[in-house]
Amino acid sequence: MRRLLALRRDQKLTTRHVQLMAESLEVTERTVWRWLSAAERDDAAAVAPGSRAQSRDRFTVTPEVRRLLALWKGNVAAVHRELTARAARQPPLAAPPPSLPTLHRAIQRDLTPGERAGLAGGEREARKHDVFLSRPRGWRNQAWETDHMQAPLLVDVDGTARRPWITWFTDCATNAITGVAVTPVHPSRESVLAALRSAVLREDPYGPFGGLPEKVRVDRGKDFLSRTVTAAFDLLDVTVEDLPAYTPHLKGTVEGLNRAVEGMFLAALPGYVRQPRPGKRASRPKDEVLLSFEDFTARLLAWTLWWNTEHLPAPLGGKTPLEAWQDDPTPLRDVPATDLWTFTLEDAGTRTLTTRGVRFRKRDYVGPWMTGHAGIQVRVRFMPHHDHRIEVYHAATGRYLGPADLADQATEEQVSAVRRARAARTRRLKKDLEASQGERYAAVTQAKAPQRLGALTTAQAEAELAQVTDTDLSDLALPDLIPPAAPPADWRTPASLAALTTPGRPVPHPSGRDGASAPDGCDGRAAPPTADEDGDAS
């Protein structure tokens, strides 16, 4: 630009010079002529052509503007209206608010794209503008990642539309899904243990993927860090890497799987909740038929098999997860299925085996193997929420003795009747949401019908049904349905009470020795007849 300015001052500047400059800077010829005019007025404009003149009173983004941007979710026009309204309440000599174009330029100049996105959409949007490093691929079973995911899909669970939860483990080196468990309601530590067993075991039907990993990355989930799960990982000699909060990029393998399963599989199923629908409010079509929980689980497991055996992830360089797994010579650490089942049970301490069985949580559990063993000390282990059965071990030697089932367990008809009564009571109290959150379903690794958890004894079922039945009858009683008969005409009955009686023939006059009318009671009606010493009514 200085050379063009010198040529113009020497009157040697031609149109060809301007054209070449415009082509090199990828601007129009008119822009170059404007820059030359500005450079003639100010030599500083020749150093940085096109830049605005710097001034000491130039508006910059203040902490107040940043707070308003966060309040209005990045809406600059709303921030400008707020600044204008605040300036109107200030004294006349206060600094005027910036204009809307000035405010736009200051935000674009002083804030990075990540800051603007973060103030508008939160930390999740701000992370999209960050730069992340990638870990080396490593070897199989070097590191696993696990996570819960609520499927954006409605399925039919016992006649109720619910969004199921998926819990899975992935191998970071091969992108293989090593284990998966599905629950109709919110998952728990039982879901984590079920998915862990399907991930570690390599026998049918779990496939060739499995073995014990060196470490597992979790994201501070209370289910993954529960006492039962951490104890199972310790017994299996697996390191648990607890990642900081709000750092999904530190477990990118499983987070990528969560995004992939929605776009590649869930979006095409009936009941998908995030599809665009006409109108302002999203609503499901009335004729939409939802998948059953069993059908959804079968389809998800089929998609998992396709992912492991046919899908070609980009990081694997044209290999499937199965091929990458088989090409890796790293030896695997296997655990027998019986030992793995023991390690993934929750310890309930020691009990004394009596003639009534094992007492656990105020209920008795019995098994056929208990004959002749009354009086020994045993240790109770159980699967969380599966209160219909416990596993019993010898307290001194740790030897497995056998399972024990709930004694006097209620029949399916009794349990169904109790659940219907509970549902009716819940609807009356308008607490459907709280009641549905309290229900528990067993996590499944194979396609099967949803199994409710929560065993009842026959006595418990009958007691609760009796209580509900009595309560219902008392609530439905209508004492004023049949009004009482009208009193005799010579009784002094208040008008307010006479209006509540049935009009018509009065009741017979109470007889006495002298035929006198009975006196009024305290409520205005005739007092009931009393017996004299001889037993006659008086």
Side-chain angles (χ1 to χ4, degrees):
M1 185 58 65
R2 290 182 179 275
R3 183 178 178 183
L4 290 180
L5 184 61
L7 291 175
R8 185 171 184 175
R9 288 174 179 174
D10 295 341
Q11 297 182 355
K12 295 181 180 180
L13 181 64
T14 61
T15 306
R16 182 58 181 170
H17 292 135
V18 177
Q19 292 177 351
L20 293 175
M21 178 61 70
E23 292 177 359
S24 62
L25 298 177
E26 297 181 355
V27 295
T28 62
E29 297 181 19
R30 182 179 178 181
T31 301
V32 176
W33 286 112
R34 188 175 68 252
W35 289 351
L36 285 173
S37 301
E40 288 181 348
R41 296 190 300 269
D42 186 4
D43 292 338
V47 179
S51 61
R52 291 182 174 270
Q54 305 294 326
S55 59
R56 295 182 179 178
D57 56 349
R58 183 182 66 176
F59 179 78
T60 58
V61 175
T62 61
E64 179 186 14
V65 174
R66 297 175 68 96
R67 288 192 295 268
L68 291 177
L69 280 174
L71 175 64
W72 292 101
K73 303 299 183 182
N75 190 336
V76 182
V79 174
H80 181 261
R81 290 194 298 268
E82 185 73 19
L83 292 176
T84 304
R86 292 184 179 183
R89 296 191 294 267
Q90 298 295 329
L93 299 180
S99 63
L100 183 58
T102 301
L103 183 60
H104 271 287
R105 287 193 300 267
I107 292 175
Q108 292 288 333
R109 180 185 63 248
D110 298 341
L111 299 181
T112 63
E115 290 177 322
R116 295 195 298 269
L119 293 174
E123 187 176 357
R124 184 186 297 272
E125 296 298 325
R127 283 197 300 264
K128 296 180 180 180
H129 298 270
D130 295 340
V131 178
F132 304 101
L133 300 176
S134 59
R135 295 190 182 97
R137 299 300 299 179
W139 54 90
R140 64 181 182 181
N141 284 353
Q142 180 194 14
W144 285 2
E145 294 177 356
T146 180
D147 195 13
H148 292 311
M149 174 194 176
Q150 187 178 22
L153 184 81
L154 292 175
V155 299
D156 186 7
V157 180
D158 293 339
T160 304
R162 299 182 184 273
R163 291 178 57 183
W165 285 79
I166 306 172
T167 304
W168 39 29
F169 287 82
T170 59
D171 181 60
C172 299
T174 62
N175 281 55
I177 302 175
T178 56
V180 59
V182 188
T183 50
V185 292
H186 198 282
S188 63
R189 60 189 186 276
E190 183 259 344
S191 307
V192 180
L193 296 176
L196 177 62
R197 282 194 297 271
S198 67
V200 173
L201 295 178
R202 295 197 300 128
E203 56 192 21
D204 291 336
Y206 303 109
F209 305 98
L212 291 178
E214 297 181 15
K215 64 179 177 181
V216 176
R217 300 190 184 103
V218 300
D219 58 354
R220 289 183 178 270
K222 63 178 182 180
D223 301 328
F224 299 102
L225 298 179
S226 62
R227 181 180 59 183
T228 305
V229 176
T230 53
F233 282 132
D234 291 339
L235 292 174
L236 296 174
D237 193 19
V238 177
T239 303
V240 178
E241 183 178 352
D242 184 17
L243 301 176
Y246 304 105
T247 55
H249 59 280
L250 296 181
K251 54 182 184 68
T253 303
V254 70
E255 292 291 343
L257 178 61
N258 291 337
R259 294 189 297 268
V261 69
E262 179 176 355
M264 301 172 66
F265 173 64
L266 299 178
L269 297 180
Y272 183 63
V273 298
R274 293 179 182 169
Q275 56 186 350
R277 305 185 189 276
K280 295 183 179 180
R281 297 184 61 184
S283 60
R284 291 173 39 235
K286 296 182 179 179
D287 56 347
E288 186 178 32
V289 179
L290 301 179
L291 297 175
S292 64
F293 177 76
E294 183 177 0
D295 191 10
F296 168 74
T297 305
R299 295 193 184 195
L300 178 65
L301 294 178
W303 181 86
T304 302
L305 179 63
W306 171 85
W307 175 278
N308 287 337
T309 59
E310 300 182 26
H311 180 54
L312 302 175
L316 299 183
K319 293 183 179 181
T320 64
L322 178 59
E323 294 173 347
W325 181 274
Q326 293 175 343
D327 293 343
D328 194 331
T330 304
L332 303 176
R333 295 188 300 159
D334 290 323
V335 178
T338 55
D339 295 344
L340 182 62
W341 172 258
T342 303
F343 294 157
T344 54
L345 294 176
E346 188 166 338
D347 191 359
T350 59
R351 301 288 194 280
T352 300
L353 180 59
T354 65
T355 56
R356 299 182 58 182
V358 177
R359 191 72 174 176
F360 174 61
R361 291 182 175 176
K362 300 181 180 180
R363 298 191 288 187
D364 295 323
Y365 290 80
V366 296
W369 57 268
M370 293 183 178
T371 303
H373 291 81
I376 66 173
Q377 293 290 320
V378 296
R379 180 171 292 275
V380 175
R381 301 179 69 90
F382 66 99
M383 174 61 64
H385 310 300
H386 289 254
D387 50 1
H388 61 282
R389 168 173 289 190
I390 60 176
E391 305 293 336
V392 184
Y393 297 80
H394 198 281
T397 63
R399 180 172 56 89
Y400 177 63
L401 298 178
D405 296 321
L406 180 64
D408 192 23
Q409 186 169 350
T411 63
E412 287 296 331
E413 292 77 9
Q414 290 174 319
V415 174
S416 299
V418 171
R419 286 172 179 156
R420 287 194 300 269
R422 289 176 179 175
R425 181 181 58 192
T426 301
R427 286 192 297 269
R428 289 193 301 269
L429 297 177
K430 297 181 180 180
K431 291 183 179 180
D432 291 333
L433 180 60
E434 291 80 358
S436 63
Q437 291 177 349
E439 295 179 350
R440 292 287 187 181
Y441 288 82
V444 298
T445 58
Q446 299 296 322
K448 60 176 66 175
Q451 178 185 358
R452 288 177 182 260
L453 299 178
L456 288 175
T457 63
T458 302
Q460 289 174 331
E462 292 178 352
E464 186 164 349
L465 287 176
Q467 181 181 3
V468 173
T469 304
D470 295 341
T471 303
D472 291 345
L473 292 177
S474 62
D475 292 341
L476 295 177
L478 300 177
D480 297 333
L481 182 62
I482 303 177
D490 56 346
W491 282 19
R492 296 191 299 273
T493 304
S496 59
L497 295 180
L500 301 178
T501 61
T502 303
R505 184 178 180 180
V507 298
H509 197 290
S511 60
R513 290 183 177 179
D514 53 359
S517 61
D520 292 340
C522 59
D523 58 351
R525 293 193 179 188
T530 58
D532 56 8
E533 297 178 354
D534 297 334
D536 296 331
S538 60

